[in-house]
Amino acid sequence: MSTHTTTETTHYHVQKRRRAQFLEDWRDNHRTVVGLDDATMHETARGSRVGVYVGADGDRPTRTMDALAHEIDPGVTTTVHRHSWDAMVFVVAGHGWTEIDGERVDFGPGDSLHLPSWAWHRSGNDGDTTVRYLTFSSQPMLETMGMAVLEDAGHTPFAGLAPRPPYSPGIDGADPYANRLRRLAREQERRRSGRLHTDWDELELRNTPRGTRTTFLLDRAIGYQASGITMAMFEIGPGRQQSMHRHPGEAWLYVVEGSGESYLGTEPEGGKRHPWKKGDLIVVDHFLWHQHINTDPERTAKVVRIHMFDSLLETMRVLCDPLVLFEEPPTHIRDAQAGDPSTIEWPENDRPTWP
């Protein structure tokens, strides 16, 4: 018995039309700054409140990462759940805890946490003020690949929860199957032993050629094993600016403290400046020239930057080589834009405050 699969026109025309529609829809979805007030908070079945800065659940779809705000009232413990994607957490207010596969991690303002894929987790607030934190996850990328799975277990004790998906240990042998078993087993062992928490008080900011001082919050350079998302924080001196650059992929910049504006444009000149303030999310869309400026002449501005770097951008660099996928001006122009960060009198790195 034979079957025939046909379309109304050739694959060339179908794919060309589909690609054109995809790009048109994506361009219509372009954003610059999502304000604090745009991330409306909603009560959820987990016991928390959630607001969407960017993500399909808030009618602001993205392709690789999302950005959500969460609040937990005093005395509340969320349900326990897990998912096939990993997430990064940045705390902006309150003192609480997150339990990850049965390991409790206490946190305060400015702390960062990593929630590995398939790790059961819940959060709670034993204090007397509301806890607020941001999450940045790879859920959209997993959904694109048809691998986004979410499982909520209510308030089941951790002892009664199923473990993460099992994997086979490596075996001896020189054949391709044995090589694969060993390679994937090593990868799972590495990913399941990564760091989970960065305390704000441990941070050490260092001056960069872009005119800012910066530090990693969650990154493989400091022991984390994420799916490709990296999270860093940079500080811009009073009245100073970061040098201009561009790259592919989405990048979110959450304003922790201060106010300013960002230049976004398809060329180094002729674009627009978009104002931002504490609590806003700056959206740097694909391959735009961008530069972040602190317009306050007296106070520094702190910004947390989230980028799908290690997986998406590095893969694109290889697949698109010899195209240049990260650009910044020549050194003398970069230095002129950035200025010398060593001339800035940097303040003490105090924990963030809210509101």
Side-chain angles (χ1 to χ4, degrees):
M1 180 178 179
S2 63
T3 60
H4 297 278
T5 301
T6 62
T7 55
E8 295 180 359
T9 186
T10 68
H11 87 280
Y12 169 83
H13 292 92
V14 170
Q15 290 184 338
K16 186 174 182 178
R17 184 168 61 245
R18 187 167 62 211
R19 291 167 185 152
Q21 185 63 50
F22 175 82
L23 285 175
E24 181 178 345
D25 292 343
W26 182 250
R27 287 166 181 160
D28 287 343
N29 188 47
H30 177 73
R31 297 164 304 279
T32 53
V33 174
V34 181
L36 171 63
D37 294 337
D38 295 326
T40 306
M41 305 302 290
H42 300 273
E43 300 288 341
T44 73
R46 297 196 67 209
S48 60
R49 288 184 296 278
V50 176
V52 179
Y53 278 94
V54 283
D57 299 314
D59 296 325
R60 300 186 187 99
T62 57
R63 296 299 298 177
T64 61
M65 307 180 298
D66 59 15
L68 311 179
H70 305 253
E71 290 182 347
I72 303 174
D73 288 331
V76 172
T77 297
T78 69
T79 60
V80 59
H81 74 178
R82 66 176 178 175
H83 30 71
S84 56
W85 58 91
D86 66 336
M88 293 182 165
V89 178
F90 181 75
V91 182
V92 298
H95 290 80
W97 52 268
T98 294
E99 194 172 8
I100 305 170
D101 276 342
E103 178 181 345
R104 174 169 166 146
V105 178
D106 294 312
F107 60 70
D111 288 1
S112 308
L113 296 88
H114 180 222
L115 306 176
S117 59
W118 290 118
W120 290 105
H121 56 279
R122 63 177 178 173
S123 297
N125 182 355
D126 296 337
D128 54 8
T129 60
T130 297
V131 162
R132 181 180 174 92
Y133 57 84
L134 284 296
T135 61
F136 309 95
S137 87
S138 58
Q139 189 275 334
M141 188 170 69
L142 270 291
E143 186 173 348
T144 297
M145 295 187 292
M147 299 172 65
V149 180
L150 172 63
E151 182 179 5
D152 193 297
H155 291 286
T156 303
F158 274 78
L161 298 172
R164 298 193 207 180
Y167 63 92
S168 297
I171 61 175
D172 293 333
D175 62 279
Y177 184 68
N179 290 340
R180 174 171 291 187
L181 276 177
R182 285 196 302 272
R183 178 171 54 82
L184 296 183
R186 287 195 303 267
E187 175 69 9
Q188 282 301 309
E189 290 166 3
R190 181 176 65 84
R191 287 190 177 272
R192 299 188 187 199
S193 61
R195 186 176 173 183
L196 298 177
H197 177 224
T198 298
D199 190 303
W200 179 273
D201 293 331
E202 299 174 0
L203 299 179
E204 182 179 358
L205 285 84
R206 299 180 181 275
N207 292 346
T208 75
R210 287 191 188 157
T212 60
R213 65 172 186 168
T214 186
T215 184
F216 281 122
L217 298 178
L218 297 166
D219 188 88
R220 63 181 180 180
I222 55 173
Y224 289 90
Q225 299 296 333
S227 63
I229 308 178
T230 180
M231 187 161 72
M233 182 177 71
F234 62 86
E235 186 171 17
I236 312 172
R240 303 289 282 267
Q241 60 191 11
Q242 183 192 53
S243 62
M244 189 174 291
H245 61 286
R246 70 172 178 171
H247 48 70
E250 300 166 311
W252 314 145
L253 295 101
Y254 176 76
V255 184
V256 180
E257 299 283 357
S259 60
E261 55 188 25
S262 293
Y263 171 89
L264 299 171
T266 55
E267 299 293 340
E269 297 179 344
K272 294 183 179 180
R273 291 194 175 199
H274 304 273
W276 42 259
K277 64 184 184 308
K278 180 178 180 177
D280 290 352
L281 189 81
I282 307 162
V283 177
V284 178
D285 217 334
H286 173 77
F287 224 56
L288 289 179
W289 285 101
H290 54 284
Q291 181 179 31
H292 309 295
I293 303 105
N294 179 3
T295 55
D296 191 318
E298 298 180 354
R299 299 191 308 157
T300 64
K302 287 191 177 77
V303 177
V304 169
R305 188 216 65 185
I306 303 90
H307 196 183
M308 182 64 74
F309 186 84
D310 289 333
S311 55
L312 182 67
L313 180 55
E314 291 304 291
T315 299
M316 290 176 65
R317 281 178 167 172
V318 173
L319 294 178
C320 295
D321 186 67
L323 292 178
V324 177
L325 296 186
F326 180 90
E327 288 187 273
E328 59 181 345
T331 301
H332 70 284
I333 297 178
R334 180 202 67 190
D335 293 346
Q337 291 177 344
D340 183 357
S342 67
T343 63
I344 300 171
E345 187 175 342
W346 297 106
E348 292 293 325
N349 191 35
D350 296 328
R351 283 183 179 268
T353 59
W354 187 265

